[in-house]
Amino acid sequence: MWDTLAVCYNESAMNLLDAVDIPSLTIIKYPDPRLRMPGETVTQFDERLHALIEKMFELMYKGNGVGLAAQQVGLPLRLFVANPTLADDDERVYVNPELIELSGTAEAEEGCLSLPNLSVSIKRAAVVTIRAMDAEGNVFEETGEDLLARIFQHETDHTEGRLIADRMSPIAKIANRRLLKELEETFASS
Ligand code: ZN
């Protein structure tokens, strides 16, 4: 019974991707409820997935970001792309990411393409090992420090429907209340 359910679930995720007009995707903004959708596991590593990944890189660069998750283009999939150095040969793809080891703590300013103009100090693990698949479905593990560790955590949060707005300290929440409110009003009127 559980196997049958799992198959249906995965098929619905893939049908969703088949129905998406990939060229017209844009980065969605807080508080769009699609940012809150936990991602479904990606099971098909085909041209549709590759086209989506290419589009996500395009949107990430256009927004001057170093990472972008599927939720940020409105899709509930476990997938993110990143380029921590913005060098041509540093494009990274993480499908079905899992953080398997976290150590130390580091606090730094963080922004998000779905929360424009927000910059908040967030405490994260300093060193993180991620397990994921590449665009062809090959499993790999990678350990990142500093910015890369932060990207792993920020983007994996997105794939689980979590935002930096949820990780802000109470003081940062008060300091940024107005900005969040403005985003909420913009969204409500769009
Ligand atoms: Zn983000």
Side-chain angles (χ1 to χ4, degrees):
M1 182 193 169
W2 287 108
D3 287 345
T4 312
L5 278 177
V7 168
C8 291
Y9 203 53
N10 288 333
E11 267 179 9
S12 76
M14 283 306 122
N15 288 342
L16 177 150
L17 193 50
D18 285 344
V20 171
D21 180 32
I22 292 172
S24 71
L25 291 174
T26 55
I27 295 179
I28 61 172
K29 309 277 168 26
Y30 169 91
D32 192 313
R34 290 174 289 175
L35 289 165
R36 296 303 190 177
M37 297 184 298
E40 293 180 19
T41 300
V42 174
T43 56
Q44 281 184 31
F45 298 82
D46 55 8
E47 297 109 64
R48 298 287 297 165
L49 181 70
H50 296 165
L52 172 62
I53 288 167
E54 201 176 310
K55 182 68 188 180
M56 285 171 63
F57 273 118
E58 181 197 315
L59 292 170
M60 184 190 85
Y61 292 131
K62 214 189 275 176
N64 294 315
V66 290
L68 190 74
Q71 278 68 8
Q72 295 180 276
V73 297
L75 300 175
L77 294 171
R78 293 174 60 205
L79 162 69
F80 73 86
V81 300
N83 187 333
T85 60
L86 296 176
D88 289 343
D89 59 357
D90 204 15
E91 290 193 341
R92 299 146 185 261
V93 175
Y94 302 86
V95 183
N96 303 326
E98 278 175 87
L99 305 182
I100 56 172
E101 210 178 318
L102 299 100
S103 60
T105 53
E107 194 163 346
E109 291 285 314
E110 233 170 270
C112 179
L113 294 177
S114 293
L115 286 143
N117 305 320
L118 184 73
S119 177
V120 280
S121 187
I122 304 216
K123 209 180 269 180
R124 302 272 195 188
V127 183
V128 175
T129 301
I130 194 168
R131 181 185 294 144
M133 293 176 181
D134 64 17
E136 312 303 328
N138 304 304
V139 178
F140 65 93
E141 285 181 14
E142 188 182 349
T143 299
E145 294 177 32
D146 304 322
L147 178 62
L148 190 55
R150 191 162 287 274
I151 292 171
F152 288 167
Q153 294 168 89
H154 179 116
E155 301 304 334
T156 302
D157 268 358
H158 272 303
T159 68
E160 294 167 355
R162 256 195 311 275
L163 298 171
I164 51 171
D166 311 331
R167 293 205 182 267
M168 295 191 309
S169 68
I171 291 169
K173 252 180 213 156
I174 293 166
N176 290 289
R177 198 168 45 193
R178 194 187 191 135
L179 182 62
L180 292 173
K181 186 104 178 96
E182 279 169 13
L183 286 168
E184 283 159 17
E185 284 166 2
T186 304
F187 180 75
S189 65
S190 66

